[in-house]
Amino acid sequence: MNVTTQLDLILRVLIAGACGFAIGYERDARAKTAGLRTHIIIAVGAALMMIVSKYGFMDVLGNKGFELDPSRIAAQIVSGIGFIGAGTIIVKHEDVNGLTTATGLWTTAGIGMAIGA
């Protein structure tokens, strides 16, 4: 991997972090539970996982007996964040709280995945 490619990957992670910051800042300003740090970590983590999924196994691509499917990691990011988001949803009587937080986390992960890819 050359220096230009490495700088490109670092830039992707930084852009994902900036997007997570923007979403998290809005959530922090409204005093919501999942705020700045949570959204930055999710966006950066999703971007990193997509980068690893896409470029992390280039050394084994030509070997016999190895089949790689980068979309498998993406699917697991969606499932994992969905699980985390489900934990933020609280139902009391007829009131539902945390639904916007859950969808915000899920969307932030999607943004990080898109930037990482």
Side-chain angles (χ1 to χ4, degrees), residues 27-108:
R27 300 288 294 169
D28 256 4
R30 295 175 186 261
K32 299 296 181 177
T33 52
L36 191 64
R37 289 181 297 177
T38 304
H39 285 82
I40 291 172
I41 290 169
I42 287 176
V44 167
L48 283 171
M49 286 182 252
M50 286 302 294
I51 289 168
V52 168
S53 175
K54 199 170 176 184
Y55 304 109
F57 304 101
M58 298 293 259
D59 56 337
V60 296
L61 272 179
N63 297 347
K64 275 190 169 186
F66 286 97
E67 291 185 33
L68 301 175
D69 183 9
S71 66
R72 293 180 72 184
I73 291 179
Q76 296 307 312
I77 295 169
V78 172
S79 297
I81 294 298
F83 181 78
I84 290 170
T88 67
I89 300 172
I90 299 171
V91 179
K92 288 182 186 175
H93 306 290
E94 293 183 18
D95 293 331
V96 178
N97 293 320
L99 198 55
T100 305
T101 301
T103 56
L105 296 174
W106 193 74
T107 303
T108 301

Side-chain angles (χ1 to χ4, degrees), residues 2 14 26 37 58 78 111:
N2 62 27
L14 292 174
E26 185 274 334
R37 289 181 297 177
M58 298 293 259
V78 172
I111 291 167

